[in-house]
Amino acid sequence: MTDAHKHAFLSKLPTRGNPWPNASAHVTRGVGAVLRIERVRAAGPIRCDALPSIDPDLLGEFLDAASAADAAFVSLAELRTRLLAKDAGRAACLTFDGADRSLVTQLAPALVARGLPLTVFVSPEAMDADAPHWRYCLEALAEKADRIGVAVRGQTYAGPCRTAEEASNTLEAVVPPLWSHPEALVRRAVFALCEADGVDMAALAQHTLGWDDLRALAKTPLISLGLLAPNCHAAGAASYDAVRDGFAAALARFEEQLGAKPAHLAFGAAWHGFVEPRDLEIAEKLGFKAACLPAGGPIFNEDATDFTVLPRMMLSDAPDAVLDAQAACGAGLARSAFARAVNAR
């Protein structure tokens, strides 16, 4: 890696009083990264970190560059094995959160064509809702309305959307605090706004995966499925029993629909800043082999224990995300890829 690519970005995972050992580390010091993707789509007019996505061309260039740099793309199971042996090498592990259809239309085909493994983290609640995610509904509303305002439990989160820049800034401000409320309440409030403003909910629903899609994916040798932790912490500090029962119910639903018990758990966007040691303790007691955090920096050989806890790095169009990921994987992207990422912001 050239000096120009040795970026000293600090990747921090906020927690309440219990920072993880690698919560603040130069990304070039690790042995690779677990990368998180939420959506694959061409860059649109509204761009914000609260609605992360990656352009398919940029993703392809990143995968090619990382492979050329001899980064080994491995499954989570293989990564854990390597870490336990203290011999991770330079490894990269690709994961996908959520139920966006770009998983089956773009991401999975692109990875299978390259022979690269992928772990898909499944939210039973999202699957059972049989509806588009409220974040993407809010995005569609911001593209259509001059202003949005979401009222949940007596609090209103609002902002102007007259231009693409205003819409991006408003979504950046509105989406994160909505995660602190129960999913069902936020979904109901956002759906009501969309229906009132004439947003085509049926069209948005077509971009959402179903259980049948996941069953088909599970038959693909390179793809494994894990559980996305339910949003048990919303609206205050949930009790130990409430979190355990929420995890257990989601796990049971996963097994019921997909016929197997997942080995891996991931904390998604809803858990930013809220993952506690007790959440990991519950996951271990439920039989998971590894848990992926919602954010963080690179991985280290020292991260491995019998129950392995791994930080994840977002892979999206955001320039910092692209640079962090390529630094952790020892790869340098083409100048055109960086230019596209920067110009899209």
Side-chain angles (χ1 to χ4, degrees):
M1 193 188 315
T2 66
D3 290 339
H5 293 132
K6 292 181 180 177
H7 301 277
F9 294 111
L10 296 178
S11 298
K12 296 185 177 181
L13 171 65
T15 58
R16 291 189 286 205
N18 291 283
W20 310 110
N22 56 350
S24 178
H26 294 288
V27 295
T28 53
R29 291 183 181 173
V31 294
V34 179
L35 302 171
R36 176 162 67 96
I37 300 171
E38 288 195 7
R39 207 170 30 159
V40 180
R41 68 166 193 168
I46 296 179
R47 311 297 299 168
C48 67
D49 292 340
L51 295 163
S53 63
I54 185 164
D55 180 89
D57 292 335
L58 178 58
L59 174 62
E61 289 190 29
F62 170 80
L63 296 175
D64 291 342
S67 296
D70 294 327
F73 284 94
V74 299
S75 66
L76 271 176
E78 173 64 19
L79 176 61
R80 180 173 176 270
T81 298
R82 290 184 176 209
L83 289 172
L84 288 171
K86 307 299 182 185
D87 187 26
R90 174 66 70 174
C93 187
L94 296 167
T95 65
F96 183 91
D97 287 7
D100 190 80
R101 185 159 291 278
S102 64
L103 169 63
V104 298
T105 60
Q106 299 199 67
L107 181 59
L111 298 184
V112 169
R114 288 177 167 82
L116 305 182
L118 172 70
T119 298
V120 178
F121 287 108
V122 178
S123 167
E125 182 180 9
M127 293 293 107
D128 289 338
D130 193 27
H133 197 284
W134 60 262
R135 285 187 299 169
Y136 303 146
C137 294
L138 203 57
E139 180 182 51
L141 182 64
E143 292 175 347
K144 182 180 180 65
D146 289 336
R147 182 177 180 83
I148 59 173
V150 185
V152 182
R153 287 187 166 180
Q155 299 183 63
T156 299
Y157 308 94
C161 302
R162 293 163 299 191
T163 66
E165 183 177 2
E166 280 189 347
S168 297
N169 292 336
T170 292
L171 289 171
E172 200 75 73
V174 167
V175 170
L178 288 176
W179 281 119
S180 66
H181 297 285
E183 182 104 355
L185 292 182
V186 177
R187 186 187 301 123
R188 187 158 55 245
V190 173
F191 283 13
L193 290 174
C194 289
E195 290 169 1
D197 273 77
V199 173
D200 191 343
M201 300 295 285
L204 288 176
Q206 293 178 1
H207 296 287
T208 304
L209 295 178
W211 285 113
D212 287 342
D213 295 305
L214 294 175
R215 294 187 192 99
L217 281 173
K219 297 178 182 178
T220 305
L222 287 169
I223 296 178
S224 59
L225 304 182
L227 179 68
L228 194 62
N231 188 10
C232 301
H233 72 277
S239 68
Y240 183 99
D241 288 348
V243 174
R244 181 198 59 209
D245 292 348
F247 281 23
L251 180 58
R253 183 61 174 158
F254 182 105
E255 292 184 75
E256 176 188 353
Q257 287 291 322
L258 299 173
K261 184 176 181 178
H264 306 117
L265 175 78
F267 298 90
W271 287 83
H272 272 285
F274 290 91
V275 179
E276 304 279 11
R278 63 90 184 267
D279 303 324
L280 301 174
E281 177 186 332
I282 290 169
E284 183 175 10
K285 287 183 176 179
L286 287 173
F288 290 100
K289 296 297 184 182
C292 291
L293 300 172
I299 52 176
F300 297 84
N301 281 319
E302 292 75 16
D303 283 329
T305 58
D306 187 50
F307 176 71
T308 306
V309 180
L310 297 168
R312 286 196 292 172
M313 301 171 65
M314 176 62 73
L315 181 57
S316 73
D317 290 338
D320 283 356
V322 176
L323 293 171
D324 278 2
Q326 65 109 18
C329 295
L333 291 181
R335 186 179 299 275
S336 61
F338 286 123
R340 276 204 310 278
V342 173
N343 291 335
R345 303 299 289 175

